[in-house]
Amino acid sequence: MPTYTPPLRDMQFVLHEMLHVENVLKNLPQHADIDAETIDSILEEGGKFCAEVLYPLNRVGDTEGCKHDKQTGNVTTPTGFKEAYKQFVEAGWGGLGMDPNYGGQGLPHVVHSAFMEMMNSANQAWTMYPGLSHGAYNALSAFGTPEQKNLYLPKLVSGEWTGTMCLTEPHAGTDLGILKTKAEPQGDGTYAITGTKIFISAGEHDMSQNIIHLVLARLPDAPAGTKGISLFIVPKFVPDADGKPGARNAVKCGAIEHKMGIHGNATCVMNFDGAIGTLVGAPNKGLNAMFVMMNSARLGVGMQSVGLAEVAYQNSLAYAKERLQSRSLTGTKAPNKPADPIIVHPDVRRMLLTQKAYVEAARAFSYWAGLAIDLEHKHPDEAVRKDNADLVALLTPVIKGFITDNGYESTTLAMQVLGGHGYIAEWGLEQHVRDARINMIYEGTNTIQALDLLGRKVLGDMGAKLMKLGKAMQEALKPFADNPAMQEFLAPFNALQSEVQRLTMEIGQKAMKNPDEVGAAAVPYLRVIGHLVFSFAWCYAAGVALTRQDSGDDFYKAKLATARFYFAKLYPESAFHIGAARSGSSTLMAMDEALF
């Protein structure tokens, strides 16, 4: 039957042996007193909550789903969800990385990232309820007035209230410039919000006292397009003079979507019928605030796929060690049994090692980005903050796009390892596949991430951010450069970095003549950059493991073996995608629409 064990050993390896987070945090005044022991104890306790409370509810949420009362618009979450959320709030897990001034624990973002990984392994659908609150918190922290912050942030931090982001409309997904929701000034500083939003995760539920919707809408005199979008706070219950939930606002869930996966999360159609809202930030500047929330969500989606890939790998590995099927091609390996366990077969090992290589590199990559977020916001040196802000901006679409692509592949491989049993619900793998599929779609499809990476983040500044990434990676690998044993890892990494530089220049030159070249190259280009970062992660992991392979701890031997597998079997995909990116747009755009 399905199981989940928090991968604390590998998490500690990344945090302490690769990133040395406790040393980095000493340079941040807010976190200077946080040591490795504190981080480990927090994650150990968090892992217990995830494995013992959230994971048993994962299949419950999938089979029960959410229930919608059409008359009242109320939504009831699956059995146990509300009780688990109460435990979550009482333990203070929601405020782990949030500002102590609003009741948070003020821990580093990188620690929050590690905890989110475990939550998503245990129960992605449940985790989305408090997860959306982090995006709302970030947006209001950056753009809210002092009054808005004092009213809403303590409640979001405590978990008493939850948040949503309301962007998509039936006719407007990624193209927010054509959204129609209206905001009419009421003369008292509030606005009447009218319109319909769809695909609103956690838009309505019974887990918190109040739900704070952040809604994009247009003022009456707003200019057309994205320059005329404003952001509004629209609470489910309008707070009274004491800051407590007061009158029910004119916002209602009209329906919940029947989805392929994440059944335990209420994906809502939200109807705003003159609902009371207050403006966040300046008029017609709503996208600036919303992108803070969206970027937070995109990083969160990457962690969803790290979590799903991990739990899927654990269960397929356990099955492969127990399932007896045929004999090894090189001779019997379990003579006392009627057949050998399937882990002896080369292709089963390929599927397992692909999962292992992808999830461990994704963990290292996403934690590295999490630490960069801490440096971006908290380092006393402005130049360091700027450099890390550029890294985070560049890496966000890669985390969202590359990790979710690999996460879906990993869950399908895990299901394949189980064969027919993987296709049957009781083993849990088919749910992981269905849940993982949405991660490639929401918060901006992976094609949108690829266009953002190549068009905005790379070509938009003539490769400045990409050069910063290259410099940061080379600097991190310097301690291993003189070790001859590292050349099997460093040589392909260095070769790919040089190839990326040439490829980027070629695409940029072609794009100046034909913008379609960016659209044609973007998706394979993102795969190439993803492998560049993953090959860096495996170089660094191998460098650490080489220094400790004689320690007697087989963990380091496994690291080296997985690194070698990655460079032999997965890294070569980058050459294919380099060729695809170079092939241009002509074969895509030449055929007349009528010929399709």
Side-chain angles (χ1 to χ4, degrees), residues 52 84 187 197 205 224 340 353 377 396 413 501 531 548 558 568:
E52 297 171 9
K197 301 288 186 177
H205 56 82
D340 289 332
L353 280 164
H377 292 288
T396 294
L413 288 174
Q501 293 172 354
H531 276 294
R548 297 167 191 179

mmCIF file of all heavy atoms in Angstrom, residues 52 84 187 197 205 224 340 353 377 396 413 501 531 548 558 568:
data_model
loop_
_atom_site.group_PDB
_atom_site.id
_atom_site.type_symbol
_atom_site.label_atom_id
_atom_site.label_comp_id
_atom_site.label_asym_id
_atom_site.label_seq_id
_atom_site.Cartn_x
_atom_site.Cartn_y
_atom_site.Cartn_z
ATOM 1 N N GLU A 52 2.078 11.847 8.910
ATOM 2 C CA GLU A 52 1.086 11.239 9.799
ATOM 3 C C GLU A 52 -0.297 11.863 9.703
ATOM 4 O O GLU A 52 -1.299 11.189 9.959
ATOM 5 C CB GLU A 52 1.595 11.329 11.240
ATOM 6 C CG GLU A 52 2.884 10.542 11.469
ATOM 7 C CD GLU A 52 3.499 10.807 12.836
ATOM 8 O OE1 GLU A 52 2.838 11.469 13.674
ATOM 9 O OE2 GLU A 52 4.659 10.369 13.066
ATOM 10 N N ALA A 84 -7.429 18.649 9.805
ATOM 11 C CA ALA A 84 -5.988 18.749 9.563
ATOM 12 C C ALA A 84 -5.549 20.209 9.490
ATOM 13 O O ALA A 84 -4.477 20.576 9.994
ATOM 14 C CB ALA A 84 -5.618 18.030 8.271
ATOM 15 N N GLY A 187 -17.445 56.023 -3.756
ATOM 16 C CA GLY A 187 -17.416 57.316 -3.097
ATOM 17 C C GLY A 187 -16.950 57.290 -1.665
ATOM 18 O O GLY A 187 -16.809 58.350 -1.029
ATOM 19 N N LYS A 197 -14.843 35.049 -12.424
ATOM 20 C CA LYS A 197 -13.508 34.475 -12.521
ATOM 21 C C LYS A 197 -13.617 32.957 -12.488
ATOM 22 O O LYS A 197 -14.470 32.398 -11.779
ATOM 23 C CB LYS A 197 -12.630 34.948 -11.358
ATOM 24 C CG LYS A 197 -12.458 36.474 -11.269
ATOM 25 C CD LYS A 197 -11.578 37.014 -12.369
ATOM 26 C CE LYS A 197 -11.307 38.504 -12.189
ATOM 27 N NZ LYS A 197 -10.386 39.047 -13.221
ATOM 28 N N HIS A 205 -14.352 27.345 0.556
ATOM 29 C CA HIS A 205 -14.149 26.134 1.357
ATOM 30 C C HIS A 205 -14.614 26.407 2.780
ATOM 31 O O HIS A 205 -15.032 27.526 3.116
ATOM 32 C CB HIS A 205 -12.679 25.697 1.336
ATOM 33 C CG HIS A 205 -11.715 26.760 1.788
ATOM 34 N ND1 HIS A 205 -11.454 27.025 3.112
ATOM 35 C CD2 HIS A 205 -10.953 27.638 1.079
ATOM 36 C CE1 HIS A 205 -10.570 28.002 3.213
ATOM 37 N NE2 HIS A 205 -10.246 28.408 1.998
ATOM 38 N N ALA A 224 -7.185 50.653 -22.215
ATOM 39 C CA ALA A 224 -7.311 49.272 -22.697
ATOM 40 C C ALA A 224 -6.032 48.484 -22.425
ATOM 41 O O ALA A 224 -4.961 49.053 -22.211
ATOM 42 C CB ALA A 224 -7.628 49.283 -24.188
ATOM 43 N N ASP A 340 13.049 -13.334 -9.710
ATOM 44 C CA ASP A 340 13.834 -12.237 -9.145
ATOM 45 C C ASP A 340 12.968 -10.987 -8.983
ATOM 46 O O ASP A 340 12.018 -10.773 -9.740
ATOM 47 C CB ASP A 340 15.006 -11.896 -10.074
ATOM 48 C CG ASP A 340 16.082 -12.968 -10.061
ATOM 49 O OD1 ASP A 340 16.221 -13.656 -9.035
ATOM 50 O OD2 ASP A 340 16.779 -13.111 -11.088
ATOM 51 N N LEU A 353 16.120 5.215 -11.740
ATOM 52 C CA LEU A 353 17.212 6.173 -11.689
ATOM 53 C C LEU A 353 16.830 7.506 -12.341
ATOM 54 O O LEU A 353 17.314 8.565 -11.911
ATOM 55 C CB LEU A 353 18.459 5.590 -12.360
ATOM 56 C CG LEU A 353 19.258 4.622 -11.484
ATOM 57 C CD1 LEU A 353 20.238 3.801 -12.313
ATOM 58 C CD2 LEU A 353 20.009 5.386 -10.385
ATOM 59 N N HIS A 377 16.110 39.374 -0.434
ATOM 60 C CA HIS A 377 15.286 40.222 0.428
ATOM 61 C C HIS A 377 15.966 40.657 1.722
ATOM 62 O O HIS A 377 15.556 41.651 2.330
ATOM 63 C CB HIS A 377 13.984 39.499 0.771
ATOM 64 C CG HIS A 377 13.077 39.326 -0.418
ATOM 65 N ND1 HIS A 377 12.386 40.367 -0.983
ATOM 66 C CD2 HIS A 377 12.775 38.221 -1.154
ATOM 67 C CE1 HIS A 377 11.673 39.926 -2.006
ATOM 68 N NE2 HIS A 377 11.894 38.640 -2.134
ATOM 69 N N THR A 396 12.956 31.424 -12.009
ATOM 70 C CA THR A 396 11.548 31.118 -11.727
ATOM 71 C C THR A 396 10.868 30.357 -12.860
ATOM 72 O O THR A 396 10.240 29.319 -12.615
ATOM 73 C CB THR A 396 10.773 32.403 -11.389
ATOM 74 O OG1 THR A 396 11.275 32.933 -10.154
ATOM 75 C CG2 THR A 396 9.281 32.129 -11.227
ATOM 76 N N LEU A 413 6.640 7.377 -15.002
ATOM 77 C CA LEU A 413 7.603 6.277 -14.902
ATOM 78 C C LEU A 413 7.336 5.442 -13.657
ATOM 79 O O LEU A 413 7.446 4.202 -13.688
ATOM 80 C CB LEU A 413 9.031 6.827 -14.877
ATOM 81 C CG LEU A 413 9.568 7.394 -16.190
ATOM 82 C CD1 LEU A 413 10.928 8.034 -15.961
ATOM 83 C CD2 LEU A 413 9.670 6.307 -17.262
ATOM 84 N N GLN A 501 25.760 29.602 -24.571
ATOM 85 C CA GLN A 501 26.147 30.956 -24.986
ATOM 86 C C GLN A 501 26.010 31.129 -26.491
ATOM 87 O O GLN A 501 25.468 32.134 -26.979
ATOM 88 C CB GLN A 501 27.580 31.237 -24.537
ATOM 89 C CG GLN A 501 27.749 31.329 -23.023
ATOM 90 C CD GLN A 501 29.206 31.426 -22.613
ATOM 91 O OE1 GLN A 501 30.112 31.317 -23.441
ATOM 92 N NE2 GLN A 501 29.451 31.613 -21.319
ATOM 93 N N HIS A 531 18.620 21.632 -18.186
ATOM 94 C CA HIS A 531 19.719 20.668 -18.069
ATOM 95 C C HIS A 531 21.019 21.352 -17.666
ATOM 96 O O HIS A 531 21.859 20.747 -16.978
ATOM 97 C CB HIS A 531 19.892 19.901 -19.380
ATOM 98 C CG HIS A 531 18.962 18.733 -19.497
ATOM 99 N ND1 HIS A 531 19.047 17.646 -18.663
ATOM 100 C CD2 HIS A 531 17.920 18.497 -20.333
ATOM 101 C CE1 HIS A 531 18.092 16.772 -18.987
ATOM 102 N NE2 HIS A 531 17.394 17.278 -19.987
ATOM 103 N N ARG A 548 33.732 12.420 0.333
ATOM 104 C CA ARG A 548 33.224 11.631 1.463
ATOM 105 C C ARG A 548 32.868 10.195 1.091
ATOM 106 O O ARG A 548 32.254 9.482 1.877
ATOM 107 C CB ARG A 548 31.987 12.331 2.059
ATOM 108 C CG ARG A 548 32.354 13.696 2.615
ATOM 109 C CD ARG A 548 31.190 14.565 2.942
ATOM 110 N NE ARG A 548 31.660 15.925 3.215
ATOM 111 C CZ ARG A 548 30.904 16.951 3.513
ATOM 112 N NH1 ARG A 548 29.605 16.797 3.602
ATOM 113 N NH2 ARG A 548 31.412 18.144 3.716
ATOM 114 N N ALA A 558 25.824 6.319 -3.504
ATOM 115 C CA ALA A 558 24.590 6.421 -4.286
ATOM 116 C C ALA A 558 24.535 7.756 -5.027
ATOM 117 O O ALA A 558 24.062 7.815 -6.177
ATOM 118 C CB ALA A 558 23.374 6.273 -3.372
ATOM 119 N N ALA A 568 25.135 10.272 -18.192
ATOM 120 C CA ALA A 568 25.145 9.274 -19.264
ATOM 121 C C ALA A 568 23.810 9.160 -19.982
ATOM 122 O O ALA A 568 23.763 9.000 -21.210
ATOM 123 C CB ALA A 568 25.545 7.909 -18.689
#
